[in-house]
Amino acid sequence: MKVTVDQDRCVASGQCVTAAMAVFDQRDEDGVVVLLDPNPSAELAEDVRNAAALCPVMAIMVEE
Amino acid sequence: MLVVGASVGGLTTAESLRRRGFTGRLTLLDAEPRQPYDRPPLSKQVLAGVWPPERVPLRQPETLSALDAEFLLGDPAAGLDVAERTVHTVGGRVLTADVVVVATGLRPRTLPGQAGLAGVHVLRTLDDAMALRADLLRCARLVVVGDGVLGAEIAASARGMGVEVTMVGPQPAPLTSRFGPLVAGVLAELHTERGVDLRPGAAVTGLTERHGRVTGVCLEGGEVLPADVVVVALGGEPVTDWLAHSGLDVDDGLICDSRCRAAEGIYAVGDVARWHHEALGVAVRWENRTNAVEQAVAVAGDILGDDQPYTPVSYFWTDQFDARIHVHGETSPTAEVSIVEGDVAERRFVAAHRRDGGVIGVVGWNMPKQARLRRRELVGASVLVGGKS
């Protein structure tokens, strides 16, 4: 699985961090998404798909 | 499966069903003739002209095709037979399914005398946003009727376009009922600094017109606010008129149990759903995009047998001028509010709302991460989905 994020689109909701804390974080200053792990392991895959679905601005792209 | 409403709640329900392995027939019906699109940008980027309307579709055409669902667009639902799980449409279609998901959203409230009057707008659909923008580009004075999230966002976007803006509403400051007086006061300051003429505590009694075009907004006491364009942002009513003869319980939304189920095989998702929130112990109806998505995921899970109560933490955000405001949990104008992080003077802070000493909600002002981290402090966080993180 390959994950990319669009920091320009991000509205800093943090929904992705709630869904998959090992893969996403937020910048302290403005809350914009930080991708911790662009190639998450299989056991994180469902959490990452969930994070992409929950993102309110569709700023997370997942390639299986 | 039949999903009535193909906005973000309906679409996410369909996608979640497929993601969870549902391979049967899937149909989405919607009153609007457009492919699913996103609403939050309408009052912000689209109205301001920062985004072209081509940027608002929720999915690329190839993603929608891959969903393997039938989209019946431009045909509003007209009735529901609960026992047969059959939906009748205005266009004469008769659609029967094993499960019907109601995701018909809201219809904006209007003022008496508004219908047919040029220059008066609501903002719910992409067409609404484009029509309002076109009018704002050639007008000088806008009056926003309504002091909630949508009204305040429209006021901010219109000021950015150089339009003179007056915002009128019943509250002492915009969004007081959501934010409480302290944070709403900061918001009022921000709007005033940026040139919005706020008319708090005012009741609108009607509109004035000449030759079929609006010329002003009448306030109780006789004052008339001159206007070339008026936006009515007084909230919306759940679209449930088509359920009137269904026998389902409708009371400011379609009444559902803790699984978002209105009857056997009938579910509701998004703005239209009033469900029993087990962790909060009350029936709630939430009008925000995040809930539409989370509820859709939960309903798809329940349809496929999860049987879990839907107990989310409420969350929404709003962007106005340079303020990005995030709200987690339940806020209340009567809650005890204190600043727990940052500094109001720097316009970067987190405010906690407390009731009986316990934190029920947090409002972050340009501090998104810090606000989110305080979700774990919410009363009952351990039983709220997403409360722990």
Side-chain angles (χ1 to χ4, degrees):
Chain A
M1 172 181 273
K2 186 170 177 290
V3 183
T4 49
V5 295
D6 183 344
Q7 291 185 322
D8 293 334
R9 240 185 137 93
C10 178
V11 290
S13 77
Q15 297 286 100
C16 54
V17 190
T18 306
M21 205 175 279
V23 179
F24 304 100
D25 196 2
Q26 289 177 278
R27 293 199 296 234
D28 288 340
E29 65 274 23
D30 59 7
V32 165
V33 61
V34 177
L35 184 59
L36 300 175
D37 182 358
N39 300 105
S41 59
E43 63 264 28
L44 293 171
E46 194 49 33
D47 288 348
V48 172
R49 286 185 206 111
N50 214 16
L54 291 175
C55 175
V57 288
M58 300 157 290
I60 299 169
M61 280 69 66
V62 176
E63 278 177 67
E64 299 286 342
Chain B
M1 307 271 176
L2 171 62
V3 183
V4 186
S7 194
V8 70
L11 178 66
T12 306
T13 307
E15 289 181 334
S16 299
L17 285 167
R18 286 289 189 237
R19 200 148 64 83
R20 295 278 304 266
F22 172 70
T23 54
R25 271 188 69 185
L26 193 51
T27 302
L28 291 98
L29 175 74
D30 200 283
E32 271 194 78
R34 291 179 188 279
Q35 296 289 347
Y37 62 89
D38 205 17
R39 293 188 201 278
L42 298 183
S43 52
K44 304 186 264 284
Q45 294 93 335
V46 173
L47 188 57
V50 180
W51 286 10
E54 296 77 45
R55 223 177 134 171
V56 298
L58 282 164
R59 302 291 179 263
Q60 298 296 318
E62 55 272 22
T63 310
L64 287 183
S65 310
L67 186 58
D68 189 23
E70 185 182 17
F71 283 85
L72 305 175
L73 304 175
D75 190 7
L80 171 66
D81 181 328
V82 171
E84 301 292 328
R85 288 182 297 277
T86 297
V87 170
H88 297 263
T89 74
V90 169
R93 288 190 171 98
V94 178
L95 306 164
T96 300
D98 297 321
V99 173
V100 175
V101 178
V102 175
T104 39
L106 298 178
R107 186 177 292 132
R109 282 196 198 96
T110 53
L111 284 173
Q114 173 179 345
L117 200 55
V120 187
H121 297 258
V122 292
L123 206 175
R124 176 71 183 172
T125 67
L126 179 56
D127 288 344
D128 292 340
M130 298 309 292
L132 174 58
R133 176 168 169 75
D135 242 5
L136 290 180
L137 285 172
R138 52 177 187 244
C139 93
R141 287 170 307 187
L142 167 72
V143 174
V144 179
V145 178
D147 52 9
V149 177
L150 185 65
E153 287 183 354
I154 292 168
S157 299
R159 270 310 292 152
M161 296 171 71
V163 176
E164 276 180 43
V165 180
T166 304
M167 177 162 45
V168 53
Q171 305 180 88
L175 282 141
T176 303
S177 66
R178 294 282 197 125
F179 291 167
L182 193 153
V183 179
V186 182
L187 189 65
E189 266 174 38
L190 174 65
H191 275 262
T192 304
E193 277 168 22
R194 300 300 183 100
V196 178
D197 181 15
L198 294 180
R199 296 305 187 94
V204 170
T205 55
L207 301 167
T208 58
E209 58 112 5
R210 202 170 71 186
H211 307 311
R213 186 168 179 100
V214 73
T215 54
V217 173
C218 311
L219 304 184
E220 204 171 64
E223 190 184 357
V224 177
L225 304 172
D228 308 314
V229 176
V230 172
V231 181
V232 178
L234 294 170
E237 281 156 8
V239 178
T240 52
D241 44 355
W242 64 286
L243 299 170
H245 305 292
S246 66
L248 293 175
D249 195 2
V250 171
D251 182 8
D252 186 25
L254 178 55
I255 306 295
C256 299
D257 65 10
S258 61
R259 272 68 175 164
C260 311
R261 207 167 32 195
E264 187 65 37
I266 313 274
Y267 290 81
V269 161
D271 295 345
V272 75
R274 180 173 290 281
W275 87 100
H276 181 72
H277 192 304
E278 262 186 22
L280 299 174
V282 286
V284 293
R285 187 174 68 74
W286 289 350
E287 296 177 2
N288 63 63
R289 192 193 185 287
T290 354
N291 177 58
V293 170
E294 292 184 24
Q295 197 162 25
V297 172
V299 162
D302 201 78
I303 292 170
L304 300 175
D306 285 357
D307 194 24
Q308 292 292 318
Y310 176 56
T311 56
V313 176
S314 171
Y315 161 76
F316 74 94
W317 86 97
T318 174
D319 294 331
Q320 297 171 31
F321 302 109
D322 59 358
R324 177 159 278 176
I325 305 167
H326 295 254
V327 182
H328 302 266
E330 305 295 292
T331 56
S332 158
T334 58
E336 198 185 309
V337 178
S338 56
I339 304 302
V340 290
E341 205 160 334
D343 187 346
V344 172
E346 286 170 22
R347 299 270 169 87
R348 203 164 177 269
F349 61 89
V350 180
H353 282 229
R354 286 189 175 79
R355 186 179 292 145
D356 302 328
V359 178
I360 55 169
V362 289
V363 181
W365 185 299
N366 286 337
M367 283 193 115
K369 181 177 182 177
Q370 294 78 2
R372 178 183 58 77
L373 286 169
R374 288 182 180 269
R375 284 168 77 119
R376 64 169 74 105
E377 295 172 15
L378 297 176
V379 171
S382 60
V383 292
L384 292 164
V385 174
K388 283 166 285 190
S389 48

